[in-house]
């Protein structure tokens, strides 16, 4: 099949583990052809070329102007693929791409990638379960959205949400996301659950990597409150009571809440136990995943939770929170440990269990690996997408033959 990906920054040099890039490579390995339409920005080194070939994917980049990006329709109409796949809810290329593909009767798949990342749907995207979900705001008409948000912002907000109803299939990467899409009013027969996949080749190391001799806790994520970095920092004093030589490694690029990190760390007096390494290369990420004693993701919400799966595929035990979708990936006591969100004491107790019990670490690591390998590897996930694309193509052909 010929498949178009329309995405934001998902296929760029240096970041092969992004979901779109992982899926594109796996599809091409199975004989499909993938090309990608993405963002262009002269000021950003990784997306300043209008054309690029990245791991076999032909990438065409468009400059965004205002709400949308001129050129999308021409690209979609020139050589229509068998299927088009729109990635990310905030994708400014999507609102023009979907009608353009439909004009050539090309079926469209839409992946929101975390329905509760939508600030229209939830009042606080860092703590989405703390406030009511605003389903009615997403369902509003263009006129109503413009009335409440202003003409420019309202048009953009309305257009971003039209993909939920305009796409032929809306992809949910978790059961929770599937259920929320149904609550929003997306018809059941147009919602398809497929998890995200990991390219295990990216997690391989040319030489064995030993576990750190020092008890080490790894946090892999942005410094957003949604990720629960502050919960982990507040758990550190409790952990140090029982494991005084424990180290806590924080890695990932600094986000909007990063300015608060130093304040919280210094207020608690735990600076000496922390290694804040910031953004790392893929190779360094692999070293950290394989050498750490335990990975923790104390999130208040995750669209999926890729670091959990990456750690599990490295046989590294994980501790995370009992929130969607972490609790779909991790079965408490079997493939990892689950704790209540926003509970530093509970998080600390779970971390102490793993840090001090070698048998538990081994069991969680092995069982976590088996679960992740059976459900979340790129070939398994790509095969599910390929089946979905093929069924869409068949349905599209049948509609064409009927004159629909």
């Amino acid at each position: 099949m010929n498949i178009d990906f329309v995405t934001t920054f998902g296929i760029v040099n240096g970041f092969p583990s992004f979901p779109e890039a992982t899926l594109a490579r796996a599809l091409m390995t199975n004989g499909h052809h993938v090309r990608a339409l993405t963002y262009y920005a002269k000021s950003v080194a990784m997306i300043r070329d209008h054309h690029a070939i990245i791991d076999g994917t032909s990438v065409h980049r468009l400059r965004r102007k205002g709400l949308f990006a001129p050129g999308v329709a021409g690209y979609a109409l020139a050589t229509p693929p068998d299927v088009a796949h729109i990635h990310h809810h905030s994708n400014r290329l999507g609102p023009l791409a979907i009608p353009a593909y439909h004009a050539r009767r090309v079926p469209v798949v839409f992946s929101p990638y975390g329905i509760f990342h939508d600030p229209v749907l939830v009042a606080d995207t860092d703590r989405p379960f703390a406030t009511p979900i605003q389903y009615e705001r997403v369902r509003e008409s263009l006129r109503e959205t413009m009335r409440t948000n202003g003409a420019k912002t309202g048009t953009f907000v309305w257009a971003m949400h039209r993909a939920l109803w305009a796409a032929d299939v809306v992809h949910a990467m978790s059961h929770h996301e599937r259920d929320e899409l149904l609550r929003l009013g997306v018809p059941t027969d147009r919602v398809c659950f497929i998890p995200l996949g990991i390219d295990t080749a990216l997690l391989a190391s040319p030489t064995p990597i030993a576990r750190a001799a020092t008890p080490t806790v790894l946090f892999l994520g942005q410094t957003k409150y949604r990720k629960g970095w502050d919960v982990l920092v507040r758990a550190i004093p409790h952990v140090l009571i029982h494991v005084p030589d424990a180290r806590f490694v924080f890695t990932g690029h600094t986000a909007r809440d990063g300015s608060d990190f130093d304040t919280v760390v210094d207020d608690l007096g735990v600076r000496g136990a922390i290694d804040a390494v910031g953004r790392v290369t893929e190779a360094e990420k692999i070293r950290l995943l394989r050498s750490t004693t335990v990975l923790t993701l104390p999130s208040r919400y995750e669209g999926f939770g890729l670091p959990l799966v990456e750690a599990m595929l490295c046989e590294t035990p994980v501790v995370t929170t009992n929130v969607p979708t972490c609790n779909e990936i991790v079965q408490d006591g079997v493939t990892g440990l689950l704790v209540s969100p926003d509970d530093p004491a509970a998080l600390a107790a779970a971390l102490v269990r793993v840090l001090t019990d070698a048998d538990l670490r081994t069991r969680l690591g092995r069982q976590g690996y088996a679960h992740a390998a059976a459900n979340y590897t790129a070939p398994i996930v790509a095969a599910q997408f390929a089946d979905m694309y093929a069924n869409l193509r068949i349905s599209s052909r049948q509609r064409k033959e009927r004159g629909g």
Side-chain angles (χ1 to χ4, degrees), residues 148-281:
T148 56
N149 296 276
K152 184 176 180 179
T153 301
T155 300
F156 174 73
V157 168
W158 180 85
M160 290 298 102
H161 290 105
R162 289 313 91 195
L164 291 170
W165 289 274
D168 299 278
V169 167
V170 182
H171 160 233
M173 58 186 177
S174 70
H175 294 291
H176 170 263
E177 188 164 75
R178 178 198 59 195
D179 293 344
E180 291 302 318
L181 289 169
L182 296 178
R183 291 189 182 99
L184 279 168
V186 181
T188 303
D189 61 354
R190 291 202 295 110
V191 177
C192 179
F193 160 67
I194 302 176
L196 298 186
I198 300 293
D199 185 347
T200 55
L202 297 179
L203 298 176
S205 173
T207 57
I209 298 174
R211 296 290 173 189
T214 301
T216 306
V217 178
L218 175 63
F219 173 89
L220 182 60
Q222 299 170 297
T223 48
K224 293 180 177 179
Y225 280 113
R226 176 173 60 81
K227 295 288 186 179
W229 63 265
D230 57 312
V231 182
L232 176 56
V233 173
R234 290 185 168 89
I236 291 176
H238 302 283
V239 175
L240 293 176
I241 291 172
H242 302 279
V243 190
D245 59 339
R247 301 296 302 173
F248 299 82
V249 178
F250 287 77
T251 182
H253 67 269
T254 301
R256 63 180 180 274
D257 306 318
S259 59
D260 294 343
F261 182 85
D262 288 333
T263 300
V264 176
V265 167
D266 290 336
D267 284 349
L268 291 169
V270 294
R271 174 75 63 183
I274 289 177
D275 297 318
V277 299
R279 189 192 294 272
V280 296
T281 64

Side-chain angles (χ1 to χ4, degrees), residues 27-83:
L27 289 167
M28 289 187 291
T29 297
N30 290 335
H32 304 291
H33 179 265
V34 180
R35 64 175 188 171
L37 184 65
T38 72
Y39 288 179
Y40 166 85
K42 186 177 181 180
S43 60
V44 182
M46 67 181 181
I47 57 170
R48 67 167 49 135
D49 297 324
H50 285 290
H51 302 278
I53 302 295
I54 300 175
D55 292 334
T57 299
S58 176
V59 179
H60 180 73
R61 299 190 178 108
L62 287 178
R63 188 190 305 272
R64 292 162 291 163
K65 293 183 179 180
L67 296 179
F68 306 112
V72 174
Y75 178 88
L77 295 172
T79 54
D82 296 305
V83 177

Side-chain angles (χ1 to χ4, degrees), residues 319-379:
V319 175
T320 189
T321 40
N322 189 16
V323 298
T325 60
C326 301
N327 56 14
E328 294 183 29
I329 295 172
V330 174
Q331 183 181 356
D332 187 33
V334 180
T335 59
L337 298 183
L338 294 175
V339 299
S340 299
D342 278 304
D343 191 338
L347 177 61
L351 291 174
V352 169
R353 282 185 63 194
V354 177
L355 292 173
T356 59
D357 189 335
D359 289 340
L360 176 63
R361 291 198 300 272
T362 299
R363 177 168 60 82
L364 293 179
R366 289 176 178 173
Q367 292 174 171
Y369 173 84
H371 175 66
N375 293 278
Y376 305 119
T377 59

